[in-house]
Amino acid sequence: MIIRTPKSYDLKETSVTKEDIYFNRRKFLKSSLAAAASGFLGFCPSKNLQAEVQQLSYKTTKWGKTLKPSSFEAITSYNNFYEFGTDKSDPKKNSHLLKPKPWTIEVAGHVEKTGVFDFDELVEKKTLEERIYRMRCVEAWSMVIPWIGVPLNKIIKKLNPSSKAKFVGFTTLKDPTQMPMQNTNILDWPYVEGLRIDEAMNPLTLLAVGLYGKTMPNQNGAPIRLVVPWKYGFKGIKSIVKIEFLSHKPPSSWNIQAPQEYGFYSNVNPNRDHPRWSQKKERRITGQSGFAALFDDKIDTLLFNGYAEEVAHLYKDMDLIKFF
Ligand code: MTE
């Protein structure tokens, strides 16, 4: 993976409106719930706020309530999505070519319900949850992202895989008319990723369809992408068109590209350096403007990105240096 020092313009904070709306909306949701509980039904929020609230309806859960999300601007303008370019600013500039609607997802392999599903058939709106997760990139920067998504295990249970399904493979759209860098050979296309079935079934694993209460921006992997918060960000494959239940380990794009640098597991591990740089610390990108940005400083990277309690049992007999 190419590493480069971010330029100041990458993170320039031009507007904080979106976060204002987001945080006010949280307050609004709380107060409207309280109003409903007290029998006050005549409350009508301002038009804009209502539009924001109606973008996606979802349950808020306990996940990450104490974490302060990075700014909407940082999350949506500092991206890795090589189908649109290798610079962090390229996905925002170029991903308007992607058409996330209509969208179908093929389900294949050792599973009862195979076939091509419409996005809405697979992702039921009532199952959407908000989860605020720490995300750690292999390039030693991190963000905190308020995802909206469905726990992958809910979808897997509906599809009903057989006992032969030991792994789950994911594939990104391949269409060079929408994804212009697929005309080059910077990676083997389409982008592919995989998880062990127990990793896929872990309650933390999400198929995300939005962030900051909005439908997923194209540059973040519209309309649906994987989120595995205890693994390096490249496991979070974007714009998924195929989910396959397999008896063997599926290929993963960065592992194909540079197997000595990127393993299949890719669990966040400060004790296992990348061959070209340390993984002990990370730069938390908050996206704050002005003086506060000076404190976007290095923090210690935690084993499993801080989610050890939830996932360490998945690897209890494994040598995490060997199986990186
Ligand atoms: N998925 C596809 N299809 N193509 C990509 O280039 N980049 C990965 C991952 N998913 C990538 C992808 C990498 S390297 C990272 S760090 C995360 O997406 C970045 O997600 P974000 O831009 O939403 O922060």
Side-chain angles (χ1 to χ4, degrees), residues 123-173:
V123 180
E124 287 178 84
K125 294 230 160 69
K126 64 173 195 277
T127 60
L128 293 181
E129 289 181 16
E130 179 180 64
R131 303 239 185 133
I132 305 174
Y133 283 159
R134 287 175 230 112
M135 302 300 297
R136 168 65 157 78
C137 181
V138 74
E139 296 161 335
W141 51 268
S142 64
M143 292 198 199
V144 173
I145 304 188
W147 299 110
I148 308 291
V150 188
L152 177 59
N153 63 16
K154 286 200 177 160
I155 292 182
I156 293 181
K157 278 181 200 153
K158 274 200 311 197
L159 296 172
N160 200 19
S162 78
S163 58
K164 286 190 189 150
K166 307 285 186 221
F167 294 90
V168 190
F170 303 87
T171 309
T172 292
L173 175 71

Side-chain angles (χ1 to χ4, degrees), residues 1 74-75 78-85 88 91 135-139 141 143 145 147 171-173 179 182 187 189-193 211 216 219-221 225-226 232-240 253-254:
M1 203 162 299
I75 294 170
Y78 191 82
N79 300 103
N80 277 328
F81 201 168
Y82 275 38
E83 286 84 341
F84 298 103
K88 297 286 180 276
M135 302 300 297
R136 168 65 157 78
C137 181
V138 74
E139 296 161 335
W141 51 268
M143 292 198 199
I145 304 188
W147 299 110
T171 309
T172 292
L173 175 71
M179 297 177 151
Q182 288 180 338
L187 279 180
W189 308 112
Y191 194 99
V192 287
E193 257 306 340
L211 56 85
M216 188 69 78
Q219 60 267 39
N220 294 88
R225 55 90 52 88
L226 188 65
Y232 292 117
F234 64 90
K235 296 297 279 184
I237 179 170
K238 297 177 169 182
S239 306
I240 296 169
S253 282
W254 283 103

Side-chain angles (χ1 to χ4, degrees), residues 4 11 17 34-35 60-61 65 85 127 133 137 144 160 173 180 188 209 235 246 251 263 275 277 279 303 320:
R4 93 186 224 289
L11 290 176
T17 321
T60 52
T61 50
K65 288 294 158 214
T127 60
Y133 283 159
C137 181
V144 173
N160 200 19
L173 175 71
D188 268 359
V209 299
K235 296 297 279 184
L246 300 162
W277 61 84
Q279 294 291 16
L303 184 61
L320 294 174

